Amino acid sequence: MRLTIQQAITRGRVRVGDRSDLGDVEITCAEQGAPLVLGDCCRVADGVRFVLGPEGARFGDYCTLHEGSLVMARGKLEVGHNFWLGRNSILDSTGGLVIGFSVRVGAGSQIWTHVEAGDRLQGCTLYGARPTSIGDDAWLVGAVTTNPGIHVAPRSIVLTGSVLTKDTQTGRTYAGVPARAVALL
């Protein structure tokens, strides 16, 4: 069912913490299941879309989700405090997604936990889902894509336009397609 943010709040599908600011947000949710929970002092901009599965989604305090972003919470989605999601980004939790504290995901980034391909007549010919995690204080600078099953280690930095195909190491910087560790000057 597709709801406006006010309809979702009224029906108990969204719980919003104190001093949060919600724009014109669209929510599509399963008939049954857990709600979308937003902590205190969160800001969700106009044009953000949530697709909620049976497990719902939970965001900590001081989270910001910018315009045009898509949150596909079809599986477990847990986000820590002080999260920042740039404009026109995608969070996919089909395979499970856990994001730590003080994580920044730049504009145009895509965090994937599943892959599927096929058409309606033949059915899905390719499907896979794996849990993905992003550790505390990680920064995906912008237009970063992560493949399903990736662990972004705490304090990792992934530079603009990179594609993560392997786990990162704590405190390292990554760049490229596929992303590799680089030394900063």
Side-chain angles (χ1 to χ4, degrees), residues 3-173:
L3 305 170
T4 65
I5 191 69
Q6 291 306 325
Q7 291 170 327
I9 291 170
T10 301
R11 295 182 185 185
R13 301 308 312 228
V14 174
R15 294 188 207 134
V16 181
D18 293 336
R19 298 176 308 281
S20 289
D21 179 23
L22 304 177
D24 184 13
V25 175
E26 180 183 297
I27 297 178
T28 303
C29 53
E31 292 292 329
Q32 302 294 322
L36 166 64
V37 177
L38 298 168
D40 294 339
C41 302
C42 289
R43 180 182 175 275
V44 181
D46 290 342
V48 174
R49 294 177 296 146
F50 292 93
V51 178
L52 301 175
E55 296 185 54
R58 180 175 297 276
F59 288 81
D61 300 335
Y62 300 97
C63 291
T64 300
L65 285 73
H66 283 277
E67 295 83 357
S69 292
L70 171 62
V71 178
M72 296 187 302
R74 297 189 293 185
K76 176 183 175 179
L77 175 60
E78 291 185 17
V79 179
H81 302 305
N82 200 30
F83 173 68
W84 191 91
L85 181 66
R87 178 183 296 235
N88 299 321
S89 294
I90 297 172
L91 295 180
D92 162 42
S93 72
T94 302
L97 177 59
V98 176
I99 298 174
F101 296 103
S102 299
V103 170
R104 294 158 312 281
V105 177
S109 293
Q110 301 178 26
I111 312 302
W112 293 103
T113 65
H114 88 289
V115 60
E116 65 183 280
D119 62 40
R120 292 180 185 201
L121 293 176
Q122 293 180 331
C124 187
T125 57
L126 171 68
Y127 182 83
R130 293 176 47 204
T132 300
S133 63
I134 302 176
D136 296 346
D137 297 308
W139 183 20
L140 283 62
V141 176
V144 171
T145 301
T146 66
N147 285 346
I150 297 296
H151 172 67
V152 179
R155 297 183 313 283
S156 293
I157 299 172
V158 184
L159 298 177
T160 304
S162 297
V163 176
L164 282 176
T165 59
K166 295 182 180 176
D167 295 351
T168 67
Q169 295 177 350
T170 300
R172 302 284 311 264
T173 301

